Amino acid sequence: MINVLVADDELPAVEELAFLLGRDPRVGRIHRASNGAEALDLLEKYTVDAVFLDIHMPGLSGLELAEVIGKRSNPPVVVFVTADDDRALEAFELAAVDYLLKPLRTDRLTRTVDRVVELVAHPSAVDDVELITVDQGGVSRIIRLDEVKFVQAQGDYARLHTAEASYLIRVPLADLEQRWAESGFIRIHRSYLVCMGFVTALKLSAAKPTVSVGNAVLPVSRRHVPVLRERLQATRVRPLA
């Protein structure tokens, strides 16, 4: 189990995050702070494995607090939880393991806890997931490759679909197919590339084969069915010989 600290100057935000974290059986004690000074005081008193920080707080900002925490001899894992969607680059430069946007999604938070638990259990592990710069509404943002559920071709562009939004990048789908093959992405159609880790259902025997990624139902080209069948067979659990 991991012990965590939640720091946010808005009490409802603290209580909501503490409630959601408390529902995860892997999370133990949850400390609460309303500003950077309180957070530092709690870190001196208790053993904390992960800190969930808002960016905008009175006194020390979340970014400043993360910088201070990073100088400790055995710093806790840092996760940012904020409504500010354009500070991700600064956050990742401070070695944050994730950057969550409010309002929080339970499934997204669960994936973050997965990541935190893994890093706490294996402190020497390197979180080397590829970071992708995307532009949306005139603002450049940073997203993680492991947030991308599927990719849709749009001419010479590709649209990256995550749980929160979709982002258009000027890279052909064929290029991404080659680049991200080792990250679990597979071509299912001339217009679609999916991350197998997000696939929830496959209908490969139907007249029109499909793959479900959450609520999205994507078409599968006939020529890609054999590869998907092979992947499906590889994941079946069989009795020991």
Side-chain angles (χ1 to χ4, degrees):
M1 295 184 72
I2 58 171
N3 296 322
V4 304
L5 167 64
V6 176
D8 194 313
D9 62 329
E10 297 182 2
L11 181 59
V14 171
E15 293 304 325
E16 178 191 18
L17 181 51
F19 171 75
L20 292 175
L21 287 169
R23 294 169 60 184
D24 193 312
R26 298 169 296 176
V27 177
R29 189 165 186 177
I30 302 173
H31 304 281
R32 298 166 173 81
S34 60
N35 55 58
E38 286 184 14
L40 288 175
D41 185 52
L42 289 169
L43 288 173
E44 291 295 329
K45 293 179 179 178
Y46 303 103
T47 299
V48 174
D49 300 300
V51 180
F52 289 76
L53 299 175
D54 185 23
I55 284 184
H56 300 289
M57 293 188 292
L60 282 176
S61 71
L63 292 169
E64 293 169 333
L65 180 55
E67 187 172 3
V68 173
I69 291 173
K71 295 177 181 178
R72 297 168 64 95
S73 59
N74 187 27
V77 172
V78 172
V79 175
F80 283 96
V81 184
T82 177
D84 197 339
D85 60 1
D86 62 354
R87 309 294 293 275
L89 180 57
E90 295 169 81
F92 287 124
E93 286 177 343
L94 291 169
V97 301
D98 214 341
Y99 191 90
L100 302 179
L101 291 177
K102 300 174 182 177
L104 290 171
R105 294 173 56 97
T106 303
D107 58 340
R108 183 70 176 79
L109 181 60
T110 298
R111 295 204 305 275
T112 298
V113 175
D114 290 342
R115 193 171 299 141
V116 170
V117 169
E118 176 66 21
L119 290 173
V120 170
H122 305 284
S124 60
V126 178
D127 189 26
D128 57 356
V129 173
E130 181 178 342
L131 301 180
I132 308 164
T133 300
V134 295
D135 297 311
Q136 188 179 58
V139 177
S140 294
R141 298 183 172 86
I142 304 293
I143 63 171
R144 295 170 56 103
L145 177 57
D146 60 6
E147 295 176 28
V148 179
K149 294 186 171 184
F150 66 94
V151 187
Q152 181 180 9
Q154 293 191 345
D156 292 333
Y157 291 76
R159 183 169 293 280
L160 312 182
H161 292 263
T162 71
E164 287 79 22
S166 67
Y167 308 92
L168 199 63
I169 61 174
R170 194 170 185 175
V171 181
L173 194 68
D175 290 1
L176 297 180
E177 179 184 5
Q178 294 183 36
R179 180 171 178 172
W180 293 346
E182 294 184 359
S183 297
F185 285 83
I186 184 172
R187 190 72 167 262
I188 63 167
H189 188 274
R190 65 181 180 181
S191 298
Y192 291 99
L193 191 66
V194 300
C195 178
M196 290 301 293
F198 286 106
V199 171
T200 53
L202 300 95
K203 293 183 179 179
L204 302 181
S205 300
K208 294 182 178 180
T210 60
V211 163
S212 296
V213 182
N215 294 325
V217 179
L218 310 177
V220 177
S221 298
R222 281 293 177 186
R223 68 189 186 92
H224 292 297
V225 168
V227 175
L228 282 171
R229 287 191 189 281
E230 185 178 327
R231 289 289 187 98
L232 197 61
Q233 289 299 322
T235 59
R236 292 190 185 280
V237 178
R238 294 178 172 82
L240 296 174

